Amino acid sequence: MTTPKKLFIKTYGCQMNVYDSERMAEALGGQGYVETQTPDDADMILLNTCHIREKAAEKIYSELGRYKGLKADKPDLKIGVAGCVAQAEGQEIMRRQPMVDLVVGPQSYHRLPEMEAKTRAGEKALDTDFPEEDKFEKLKSRPKAQRGPTAFLTVQEGCDKFCAFCVVPYTRGAEVSRPVDRILTEARDLVERGVREITLLGQNVNAYHGAGPDGSEYTLAKLIWDLDKVDGLERIRFTTSHPNDMTDDLIEAHGTCSKLMPYLHLPVQSGSDRILKRMNRSHTADSYLRLIERIRAARPDILMSGDFIVGFPEETEEDFQATLDLVEEVNYGYAYSFKYSTRPGTPAAERPQVDPAQADDRLQRLQALITRQQRDIQNSMVGRTVSVLFEKPGRLPGQMGGKSEYLHAVHVADAPVSVGEIAQVRIVDAAANSLAGVID
Ligand code: 5AD
Ligand code: SF4
């Protein structure tokens, strides 16, 4: 028997990259690779990269620099770059870091086995195509290994919205939805392997429009209702959504589908109509607020989450104030805020930039407000009973940790439950990033 080769994958960025990394590990599993948790004993290092902000991309080059010594000690070590930096920079990566053997874009990673063989033959391998064939189908040979209770499942990829700041339409390409039957097969397979909660992934997941078994076009809500019928699947989530694709049936499903969790990540980016227009968002602050009213009418306890960019080109103090006002009005359970980062090739890169010190100051003010809201909502959970899916033992003996339906991390001391179980938990305390509870 030959000893397996070791693969170290480091994942950056969004949840879709986490999913893609799993698929890449499986694809290379067929080439005799098993995963290792450290680069030190690896035969192949794969960085699955993110290009969304400049810092994320720069991190890759500094990380690659760190592997120079390893490669010098072990000339057989292969180094690959996958994901959105690979897509955006292509050959340039090998030029800047000649020790890189393989560059593979997010749409071509089903070709990894052939690419790996090429590197073993001493050649460089580069593939940043947007091929016709279905990469998910090519990657079907999954080992039936047991899984944890939660999993991601990509149902849609790419984006046609072209927000003026965003590289996604260029790195992930045009919107593509996977057919319903393939998603259901994958979901059932995950459930057989122990999964209780599935998060449906897509850059624009609520624009999902895959083909149903009868050839008709499905909406995301229709797909959710089919998943609702999968026995053993207890919870469904989806991310990330665009306000303009929140269809009536999806809003309604939040009120009527008991497996659909009361949590919605719905980025708005700014509260100023002037800036939203320049961002090419095709919605206003008011239409977003009215949409949230409708969602809350369907599911009053839904926890809202969002993304914000501060310091977008030409943002004034008044524009920023409008963002603070919107945040005040929505009251977010979670929100992610970023300083605008210039992305070459996107329309906003050409616009007059905001003074970086001013952008820093706004980011701090926005984050202070968001943190206060998050804390207040966490604190308001004390005394309430939530349902918790237990994911893993906690740090203390006997302790178990999981997530509530609202995605809050919850810990229970001396919990008489096992991983994968769902139990009703009464919240007794709120810390900065988690809640403590007792089984009800
Ligand atoms: N600069 C800063 N933040 C960005 N995002 C996307 N592109 C940029 C950029 N150029 C943020 C948006 C998006 C999240 C995933 O990343 O808020 O919703
Ligand atoms: Fe980027 Fe999202 Fe806008 Fe698409 S909708 S361009 S992924 S921010």
Side-chain angles (χ1 to χ4, degrees):
M1 216 178 97
T2 52
T3 43
K5 287 174 280 186
K6 292 197 176 149
L7 170 68
F8 174 70
I9 302 194
K10 188 160 178 174
T11 307
Y12 298 82
C14 65
Q15 290 150 328
M16 194 174 285
N17 268 8
V18 175
Y19 176 85
D20 287 351
S21 290
E22 286 169 8
R23 307 305 295 261
M24 288 194 277
E26 284 168 8
L28 288 171
Q31 303 293 106
Y33 279 92
V34 293
E35 269 191 89
T36 170
Q37 299 310 313
T38 153
D40 302 331
D41 64 351
D43 298 285
M44 178 175 242
I45 296 174
L46 205 50
L47 301 183
N48 193 12
T49 62
C50 173
H51 199 241
I52 197 95
R53 285 168 289 276
E54 188 181 358
K55 264 199 192 141
E58 277 310 312
K59 260 197 221 157
I60 304 307
Y61 286 106
S62 59
E63 183 74 19
L64 286 170
R66 254 182 257 155
Y67 298 143
K68 267 202 182 120
L70 281 178
K71 181 100 173 176
D73 291 345
K74 195 175 182 182
D76 264 359
L77 169 67
K78 301 296 174 197
I79 297 182
V81 178
C84 293
V85 175
Q87 188 63 44
E89 309 237 316
Q91 195 106 47
E92 173 67 12
I93 299 174
M94 290 174 177
R95 203 190 57 74
R96 261 181 84 173
Q97 280 290 6
M99 64 173 184
V100 171
D101 301 283
L102 182 155
V103 172
V104 60
Q107 303 309 337
S108 332
Y109 60 66
H110 54 291
R111 294 177 177 165
L112 261 176
E114 297 106 80
M115 295 176 75
E116 189 270 348
K118 206 168 159 190
T119 65
R120 291 281 156 216
E123 289 173 54
K124 301 259 180 200
L126 171 86
D127 194 336
T128 52
D129 287 352
F130 285 96
E132 285 294 310
E133 73 260 19
D134 182 346
K135 69 175 173 189
F136 298 103
E137 270 303 277
K138 295 267 186 249
L139 286 173
K140 255 190 348 199
S141 59
R142 323 184 88 198
K144 293 271 175 197
Q146 196 65 13
R147 303 260 320 214
T150 63
F152 296 128
L153 200 174
T154 294
V155 302
Q156 177 278 340
E157 204 174 342
C159 182
D160 295 339
K161 296 275 191 296
F162 290 93
C163 296
F165 49 81
C166 187
V167 287
V168 165
Y170 312 97
T171 56
R172 290 274 172 174
E175 252 178 43
V176 178
S177 295
R178 295 178 66 195
V180 173
D181 55 356
R182 305 223 181 115
I183 294 167
L184 290 175
T185 305
E186 194 169 327
R188 287 192 199 100
D189 174 63
L190 288 169
V191 170
E192 268 174 37
R193 295 157 62 191
V195 170
R196 295 284 162 268
E197 172 181 306
I198 291 181
T199 301
L200 307 175
L201 296 182
Q203 269 91 28
N204 238 295
V205 71
N206 57 341
Y208 177 84
H209 57 272
D214 57 357
S216 70
E217 194 173 282
Y218 263 50
T219 58
L220 182 66
K222 218 165 165 230
L223 175 67
I224 288 169
W225 280 113
D226 274 15
L227 285 163
D228 180 67
K229 295 189 199 90
V230 173
D231 280 341
L233 178 62
E234 306 293 345
R235 291 175 154 195
I236 303 166
R237 302 182 187 276
F238 60 88
T239 196
T240 289
S241 298
H242 191 286
N244 292 1
D245 294 313
M246 276 315 286
T247 50
D248 290 346
D249 60 348
L250 189 56
I251 296 173
E252 201 183 307
H254 270 291
T256 50
C257 179
S258 58
K259 289 188 184 176
L260 187 57
M261 293 294 102
Y263 176 97
L264 181 63
H265 183 62
L266 197 62
V268 61
Q269 315 296 356
S270 168
S272 154
D273 287 345
R274 210 178 68 90
I275 294 298
L276 287 169
K277 197 159 186 192
R278 283 170 166 71
M279 285 178 165
N280 192 30
R281 288 287 296 181
S282 321
H283 61 74
T284 62
D286 191 54
S287 67
Y288 177 81
L289 291 170
R290 275 188 284 116
L291 174 62
I292 292 185
E293 266 171 30
R294 286 173 54 217
I295 297 165
R296 283 185 168 148
R299 179 79 202 222
D301 63 338
I302 199 160
L303 195 94
M304 293 303 305
S305 151
D307 287 342
F308 293 89
I309 294 178
V310 301
F312 184 80
E314 299 168 274
E315 183 189 68
T316 62
E317 179 58 29
E318 203 181 319
D319 294 317
F320 176 65
Q321 193 56 50
T323 298
L324 294 177
D325 292 346
L326 179 139
V327 172
E328 287 281 8
E329 192 156 342
V330 173
N331 195 22
Y332 288 94
Y334 287 98
Y336 306 87
S337 46
F338 310 100
K339 195 165 80 161
Y340 170 70
S341 169
T342 309
R343 307 314 288 128
T346 58
E350 313 295 323
R351 312 289 309 160
Q353 306 291 309
V354 167
D355 168 30
Q358 213 155 39
D360 277 330
D361 174 63
R362 289 178 192 163
L363 185 64
Q364 278 182 22
R365 284 152 66 200
L366 177 58
Q367 286 183 340
L369 172 60
I370 288 169
T371 305
R372 179 167 60 72
Q373 289 191 340
Q374 278 178 208
R375 293 258 166 90
D376 287 351
I377 290 183
Q378 290 228 56
N379 291 340
S380 74
M381 300 307 290
V382 175
R384 281 181 61 180
T385 296
V386 295
S387 104
V388 175
L389 169 59
F390 288 95
E391 293 176 20
K392 52 178 188 260
R395 258 174 285 157
L396 304 172
Q399 192 189 46
M400 287 285 281
K403 297 271 166 57
S404 77
E405 59 271 60
Y406 308 106
L407 215 56
H408 284 132
V410 179
H411 290 102
V412 177
D414 301 317
V417 288
S418 41
V419 167
E421 232 176 280
I422 295 177
Q424 296 302 109
V425 172
R426 191 162 46 79
I427 302 301
V428 293
D429 199 11
N433 293 312
S434 67
L435 303 170
V438 292
I439 303 282
D440 219 18

